[in-house]
Amino acid sequence: MPKGSDLLVAALENEGVDRIFGVPGEENLDVVESLRKSSIQLILTRHEQAAAFMAATYGRLTGKPGVCITTLGPGALNLTTGAAYALLGAMPMVMLTGQKGIMSSRQAKFQIVDVVGTFKPLTKLSLQIVSTSTIPTLVRDAFRIATQERPGPVLLELPEDIAGEEAEPVAMVAQHPIEIPVAHRASLDRAAEMILNAKRPLIMLGAAASRPRSTTGIAGFVRRTQIPFFTTQMGKGTAPGGTRLYMGTAALSERDYVHEAIDRADLIIAIGHDTIEKPPFIMGPDGPQVVHVNYTPANVEQVYFPQCEVVGDVGPSLELLADRLEGRLPNAGALLNLREGILSKIADRATEARWPPTPQRIVHDVRQVMPENGIVALDNGMYKIWFARNYRTLVANTLLLDNALATMGAGLPSAMMAAMLYPERRVLAVCGDGGFMMNSQEMETAVRLKLNLVVLVLEDSAYGMIRWKQAVDHFPDFGLSFGNPDFVRYAESYGAKGTRIESTEAIIPTLERAFAGGGVHLVVMPIDYSENIRVLVDELREKVKRLDEAKN
């Protein structure tokens, strides 16, 4: 006779689950035993938060929900940041948590918190399983809800007495494909009319454009219309970044060089924009009109209120929109004369040889060692702006960054997930010393899994982004500096390799050797953040001042 846990694992196998990340506890032991007898690999992590980041990244890269498991109370609560990461980042994920028995309470309230209630605002669905007979349908529904647009996390809590209870065999619920409707003909006609009448059109590719199902239709639309495009931070790579139509990435909300094109556009076609991302531009009453193209209607915000919405399956909808536009846009390239100036300004000083190296130089050198399909996973820190701004992507989801929750600690786990999924591709985690230490214990997990992974730690002995903003706001330098371990010896203590870069000329050869050597290799180097003030404050203020003077 199967147990409740056997039905749960069978339902997961029915969904095609091949691995589960997490830290089980006493309340999950029946599930662990059922997993032992299944085809599913249990990947033990060193912290529940890392398990959630890995599961969410699995969802981001595959479009199928990643799965993680924890026990009740403290273990479950350690998933909250990962749940928010998946919710804001639109990554499908299913979280399985344990709980004390619900038929009796022999341990009273020990370790018990309302996990289901806690996760309701952090998930698309959060519920407790109270009957073995409902397990197959609840699991099927959880996976369906996690993947529906807009994707996100789901939590199922399985009490230990339900998991261990003998159950009557219950048939699994078969999956079936669900097609997303294409946009309504009227909205396509309305959008086409606006685009045909535009004098200076511009395309923006946002976070939802990175969905695995989206990229073909988007690339075709750009090619067929020949309208130049820019991307948000999470929309990079969704049309080939090397194309002559690429205008840059909006790493800041305003005043950057790419905003020269944005500010001159009279129409922006926002494909896949999600207002969860930090605004790539600020809409105002005198700015360009906006056509919103996405799986879901626009969230109207103070900074985003599109005048037209094309809602439906993005790829096929764009094909229909391109049918109405191809060969009929004499003004398509009106903004292209700005492209060379924008990109050359962004690339300024990218090969400067000073030591410690500038962010521009680090981004430049990383790009040299990463092939087109190589994956760079960023943690959250000052360097993220520089990678978003300067790193040219040619393939979708090859620069994994979080511009939604923007949490520290996700860079290493997300890189580990990429390395598991794509063992034949180069994968590089780029972390600040602050973010790296938030989940650095997962180095042991990476070594145990025999991953091929290079981890680049940029050392400035401070929470650098906040320290920079503290300086920009003219506050005294206070409260944001710390000490570090010897990162080379730290890596070696986990059984990984460790190398410290001692000169700017050594960046590329050191990273090449690290990739060639295989296994887990940590490379540490200092970074010179003095460029933050010059490039991102002083230079941009001077640019705005010049533009204002020219208008007057």
Side-chain angles (χ1 to χ4, degrees), residues 15 65 92-96 124-125 127 135-148 152-156:
E15 297 294 334
M93 175 171 72
V94 173
M95 298 173 285
L96 305 172
K124 297 180 72 178
L125 173 73
L127 56 82
I135 289 174
T137 52
L138 290 177
V139 170
R140 175 81 283 268
D141 201 39
F143 276 74
R144 180 184 62 83
I145 290 171
T147 52
Q148 277 181 336
V154 169
L155 181 132
L156 295 177

Side-chain angles (χ1 to χ4, degrees), residues 357-359 362-363 366 378 381-384 386-387 428-436 455-462 464 482 484 487 500-501 507 511 522-529:
T358 63
I362 293 171
V363 173
V366 166
L378 303 180
M382 196 65 227
Y383 50 88
K384 185 184 80 171
W386 290 99
F387 270 88
L428 174 72
V430 180
C431 308
D433 43 10
F436 172 71
V455 182
L456 177 61
V457 177
L458 304 176
E459 188 173 28
D460 68 334
S461 300
F482 47 72
N484 279 318
F487 283 115
R500 177 173 290 277
I501 295 178
I507 297 173
L511 291 175
L522 184 148
V523 177
V524 60
M525 63 186 297
I527 184 168
D528 179 2
Y529 275 138

Side-chain angles (χ1 to χ4, degrees), residues 2-5 30 103 130-132 160-167:
K3 298 184 296 184
S5 60
D30 284 293
M103 302 302 180
V130 297
S131 166
T132 58
E160 61 181 337
D161 52 357
I162 304 300
E165 184 179 41
E166 288 191 351

